[in-house]
Amino acid sequence: MRPLAFLACGLSLISASPPAQPELHSDLIHSDLPLWTSDYKKMWPRAFVGQNDFGCIHNIRLGDWKFDQPGQDGSWYRLTNYGVFHCFLMVRSAFERSELETAKVSYSFLIDLGRARRRNEDVELWALQMGGRPSDYLLLARKPERGAIRSFEVLQRECPREDVRSGRNLAILLTSYCAINDQQELIALARRMAQRAPLGTLTFVASVGD
């Protein structure tokens, strides 16, 4: 009977082991040409012209944002305004906040993708469209709230198999990306990703210089 008792004990230990954590996906989403252009009415920033002034309207806080991921070192984004005649977000990213000053600028727009239903509540879906030729995308979500946006969930990005483009081996460099060249396809992907655990959170920290 002792061997059976030992086996039963071993089985109980195996069954008590924690379940494996699901894999999180952060594929590079890339379009040959920008999917949203200036004729889209739900793209930020927007130009305005008043009786005595003109400029750009933003719907988010401008400054330094922290990207936090569970179990990993965070990174930083700096979102600033380009000017008053042409309305762009200037996006810089770096692993350290001190590196943002010299980081490469990507001229970007925040795109409203509509809403999705998740766990009996509505969430807003957004995409950060970075660059014009070509464009890359972050998928974002948030609970609907009034006022300037101060935080997002950063959604996973698992590329549909048919959209994966893979290059030949180049040492340790990544040579594949997710090629999406249709608005509705990207929106559908964002809706699917909104049902999963997010990659992390993107949160406004402070205005530049604070």
Side-chain angles (χ1 to χ4, degrees):
M1 295 298 294
R2 289 181 180 177
L4 292 176
F6 179 80
L7 178 61
C9 179
L11 288 174
S12 66
L13 290 174
I14 293 173
S15 63
S17 61
Q21 294 297 318
E23 181 181 1
L24 299 179
H25 297 270
S26 56
D27 298 333
L28 171 64
I29 299 178
H30 177 91
S31 65
D32 295 337
L33 296 171
L35 298 181
W36 285 272
T37 52
S38 299
D39 56 346
Y40 186 64
K41 303 302 182 185
K42 296 183 179 181
M43 184 166 70
W44 297 84
R46 303 174 181 172
F48 78 92
V49 178
Q51 290 185 342
N52 300 310
D53 56 359
F54 61 93
C56 301
I57 302 173
H58 293 267
N59 65 338
I60 63 172
R61 292 297 305 269
L62 298 179
D64 291 349
W65 291 62
K66 181 72 179 296
F67 178 33
D68 287 307
Q69 294 180 271
Q72 297 189 35
D73 294 333
S75 58
W76 290 85
Y77 286 82
R78 176 167 290 174
L79 310 181
T80 53
N81 181 60
Y82 175 75
V84 296
F85 293 103
H86 302 286
C87 298
F88 298 104
L89 275 173
M90 296 172 63
V91 176
R92 297 175 171 90
S93 63
F95 289 109
E96 300 293 337
R97 190 179 183 186
S98 59
E99 298 171 347
L100 290 171
E101 289 289 342
T102 56
K104 181 181 177 181
V105 174
S106 180
Y107 298 101
S108 307
F109 291 95
L110 190 61
I111 311 298
D112 184 348
L113 302 182
R115 295 193 179 191
R117 193 75 175 166
R118 181 179 65 185
R119 295 187 292 275
N120 297 318
E121 66 178 9
D122 287 334
V123 292
E124 297 174 355
L125 300 178
W126 297 83
L128 185 61
Q129 176 177 277
M130 297 174 289
R133 55 174 194 177
S135 297
D136 297 327
Y137 296 85
L138 288 183
L139 301 180
L140 309 166
R142 67 185 291 265
K143 293 181 179 180
E145 295 178 354
R146 294 189 176 186
I149 298 173
R150 301 177 64 94
S151 65
F152 289 106
E153 292 178 359
V154 180
L155 300 181
Q156 293 190 54
R157 303 182 300 275
E158 183 177 9
C159 189
R161 184 173 301 177
E162 64 272 16
D163 293 327
V164 175
R165 295 196 65 188
S166 297
R168 298 178 64 180
N169 182 277
L170 195 60
I172 63 171
L173 298 180
L174 297 175
T175 59
S176 64
Y177 67 91
C178 187
I180 294 183
N181 292 293
D182 178 80
Q183 290 182 2
Q184 294 307 312
E185 188 176 355
L186 188 67
I187 293 172
L189 178 61
R191 289 181 175 275
R192 292 196 300 273
M193 296 299 104
Q195 307 305 318
R196 301 187 183 184
L199 285 174
T201 57
L202 186 62
T203 306
F204 173 75
V205 173
S207 300
V208 177
D210 290 353

